Amino acid sequence: RLALMPHLTKGVRCLNFGLPGGTSSNGKANPYLSTIARLRLDAAVIEFAINDASNVQGISTAQSAANAQVIINALRAANPAILIFMMITGGCVAGSVPASYRGSLSTYYQKYRDMVTADPTLHLIDPAWGTATYANIPDGIHPKRAHWASVAIPQMATVMAPRLAEV
């Protein structure tokens, strides 16, 4: 929120409806999805790919995209003008336990890119995360707050701010 503020003409309120370890299946079945939709949000960021890619979850890339589309449709039904951003959240540290469960992560990220290419009303936030290391991602999957702030937040501001300024 703070990174976006200098680029906007009005305030931003950020709401986090994320679920720890949540997948797109959780997101579309979230009992709050109808409540979230009723909020008539100006913008939403969707990112489930890294958890969908876990082979423990059993969610194919096609199902991941279909689930994301259900969420997108619910948000658009409530506010056709909503800005929807699909986000790539980086990778796992090579050789880590989280990486061992996500061998096809890049295909899930590519599916998000394909969805944005196919639907010009979607927007992509795809930070240049660089090589995932334990120095920046101590548990192999969750970036340190400082790494997130230095990589993801500037990219989010770059992609989101010009579009949100028009809302």
Side-chain angles (χ1 to χ4, degrees):
R1 179 177 64 86
L2 294 176
L4 293 174
M5 290 304 294
H7 306 280
L8 303 175
T9 57
K10 64 179 183 176
V12 172
R13 183 173 52 144
C14 295
L15 306 172
N16 182 354
F17 292 101
L19 304 167
T23 66
S24 60
S25 292
N26 299 129
K28 78 171 189 173
N30 186 332
Y32 303 108
L33 183 56
S34 62
T35 300
I36 294 166
R38 282 196 301 273
L39 291 173
R40 294 187 39 82
L41 303 171
D42 291 327
V45 177
I46 296 174
E47 196 299 307
F48 289 106
I50 198 159
N51 288 337
D52 283 359
S54 170
N55 59 19
V56 174
Q57 302 297 343
I59 300 172
S60 69
T61 54
Q63 188 60 55
S64 178
N67 291 346
Q69 193 63 55
V70 167
I71 296 166
I72 291 165
N73 293 347
L75 296 171
R76 284 184 174 157
N79 179 7
I82 189 171
L83 296 169
I84 298 177
F85 301 89
M86 306 298 287
M87 184 162 185
I88 307 297
T89 57
C92 301
V93 175
S96 67
V97 171
S100 70
Y101 295 133
R102 292 170 174 82
S104 59
L105 178 58
S106 63
T107 61
Y108 287 79
Y109 285 160
Q110 187 58 49
K111 184 57 83 171
Y112 274 22
R113 292 179 186 106
D114 294 345
M115 289 176 73
V116 171
T117 299
D119 181 346
T121 66
L122 294 175
H123 308 284
L124 183 67
I125 301 171
D126 192 357
W129 287 97
T131 302
T133 66
Y134 284 114
N136 291 324
I137 307 172
D139 67 354
I141 191 168
H142 300 102
K144 286 182 176 178
R145 185 176 298 245
H147 188 54
W148 184 264
S150 69
V151 177
I153 298 300
Q155 177 67 16
M156 291 177 81
T158 297
V159 173
M160 295 176 77
R163 291 164 178 89
L164 289 172
E166 299 171 4
V167 174

